[in-house]
Amino acid sequence: MASATITTVWRQNFQQEIFRLDAALFNFPLVFFDTAFPGFFRNTPIGATESTRYDDLKHNVDHSRMIQFGITVADVSGNIGGTWEFNLRFDLSRDLFVSRSIQFLQDNGVDFDRLRRDGIHFDMFAQLLSRVVARHRNLCWVTFHGLYDLSHTLKTVTNRPLPPSVAAFASQLGIVFGDVVDIKYMARFCQGLRGGELALTAIAKILKVERVGGAHQAGSDSLLTARVYTKMRMAYEIDETLFAGCLYGISARICKPIAVPNTNGRRCFIPNATTPAPFLRCITTHTSVFMIAAPFSHVL
């Protein structure tokens, strides 16, 4: 496995680095990502129904925004094409947060003074990330315990609140991201990983995978996710297609929709038969110029 460098991205180098990420995705289709966000405004009680858990998830995500977005790209052999940590503008005097979550991030090295001063403007980040996602339709998005990571990323690239139900949420994830793998769910079926009931750092320690950078920072966590995933595939000879679309924490499976041609030159994405709540969306095909790729906020 190659490069272990984490590129830290602020407002000053954002456009340069988002273009580098876009270029890398043509050769490195595995995407490992992690987010930092300002906490949970609702805490879901143990034993709550899935509907209640989703309502709390939606409330928490709809009323907050990402602080960091970490992304590592790799090929199917585990070669790393780059790791980026995007730092978004966050102002503790204006933005909503949970105090203990902010203190936790500060204790782990997140600099909120610099985020306020040099952080990437959220609207610009959302617009260009949306175009990257819309431009690359054959990626596999890999996360660890990624329900909230996916939710925050979905809200960012669509520029909309989360869908009203679990079924609609799973359907929209399939349309926007396509193939999704959750390592924590995969770990349930790997001997010696305690049924997946472990944190990422604990699984990395069992597998003898070393961390680069600071724990609980999005860039470092995305890179560790990539290394753990590669090690698990080798050690357990995993066929990840068996776990595609299964997220730890919800029962609905995320199904990649089928692209079919349409008479007006657009691609229509029709969910597979197993998608819980079938519906149709169309995404304009633009591939020649990155800046005109249709962002999801305009098409969903």
Side-chain angles (χ1 to χ4, degrees), residues 114-185:
R114 188 169 183 191
L115 286 171
R116 176 182 53 79
R117 201 173 57 244
D118 298 328
I120 304 159
H121 289 295
F122 184 83
D123 289 344
M124 178 181 288
F125 173 75
Q127 183 181 36
L128 293 190
L129 181 64
S130 168
R131 290 175 176 176
V132 169
V133 175
R135 180 170 164 84
H136 298 276
R137 302 303 304 152
N138 294 302
L139 304 177
C140 179
W141 294 78
V142 185
T143 184
F144 181 88
H145 202 178
L147 188 56
Y148 269 85
D149 298 314
L150 274 167
S151 298
H152 275 285
T153 307
L154 178 67
K155 190 191 82 166
T156 299
V157 300
T158 61
N159 193 29
R160 292 187 178 185
L162 294 185
S165 67
V166 175
F169 172 67
S171 294
Q172 195 171 81
L173 286 175
I175 289 172
V176 174
F177 298 107
D179 292 322
V180 175
V181 175
D182 189 334
I183 294 175
K184 190 173 179 70
Y185 185 90

Side-chain angles (χ1 to χ4, degrees), residues 6-38:
I6 300 172
T7 300
T8 305
V9 186
W10 298 92
R11 186 173 67 251
Q12 293 82 353
N13 64 334
F14 169 59
Q15 291 199 24
Q16 170 189 329
E17 296 303 329
I18 198 77
F19 276 92
R20 286 186 61 226
L21 169 62
D22 174 64
L25 288 171
F26 286 105
N27 298 310
F28 298 94
L30 294 180
V31 176
F32 304 86
F33 69 108
D34 184 78
T35 66
F37 50 89

Side-chain angles (χ1 to χ4, degrees), residues 22-98:
D22 174 64
L25 288 171
F26 286 105
N27 298 310
F28 298 94
L30 294 180
V31 176
F32 304 86
F33 69 108
D34 184 78
T35 66
F37 50 89
F40 306 101
F41 303 111
R42 284 186 189 170
N43 291 308
T44 306
I46 296 173
T49 64
E50 182 166 83
S51 177
T52 298
R53 292 199 308 272
Y54 181 75
D55 286 346
D56 290 345
L57 166 74
K58 177 173 166 56
H59 178 86
N60 289 329
V61 173
D62 285 351
H63 288 85
S64 63
R65 62 167 61 182
M66 277 194 286
I67 295 171
Q68 287 184 334
F69 180 74
I71 185 167
T72 296
V73 299
D75 62 21
V76 293
S77 299
N79 299 306
I80 300 294
T83 298
W84 290 265
E85 183 175 84
F86 294 92
N87 293 278
L88 307 182
R89 189 175 189 277
F90 197 88
D91 189 339
L92 294 176
S93 68
R94 302 177 63 179
D95 294 312
L96 295 175
F97 62 88
V98 177

Side-chain angles (χ1 to χ4, degrees), residues 19 22 131 135 286-294:
F19 276 92
D22 174 64
R131 290 175 176 176
R135 180 170 164 84
H286 290 297
T287 56
S288 58
V289 181
F290 167 62
M291 289 303 293
I292 65 170

Side-chain angles (χ1 to χ4, degrees), residues 182-238:
D182 189 334
I183 294 175
K184 190 173 179 70
Y185 185 90
M186 280 176 45
R188 287 179 168 182
F189 307 94
C190 298
Q191 187 175 3
L193 298 185
R194 301 181 190 176
E197 299 301 322
L198 293 169
L200 177 63
T201 300
I203 290 179
K205 185 174 181 180
I206 291 171
L207 296 175
K208 297 182 170 55
V209 175
E210 294 185 2
R211 175 186 287 278
V212 175
H216 305 296
Q217 296 202 34
S220 175
D221 282 356
S222 75
L223 181 54
L224 188 62
T225 299
R227 291 181 150 190
V228 165
Y229 178 75
T230 300
K231 189 66 175 286
M232 284 176 65
R233 288 182 68 196
M234 293 172 56
Y236 297 99
E237 299 181 347
I238 287 174

Side-chain angles (χ1 to χ4, degrees), residues 268-282:
C268 290
F269 289 91
I270 304 175
N272 291 330
T274 53
T275 305
F279 61 101
L280 178 96
R281 294 291 184 268
C282 292

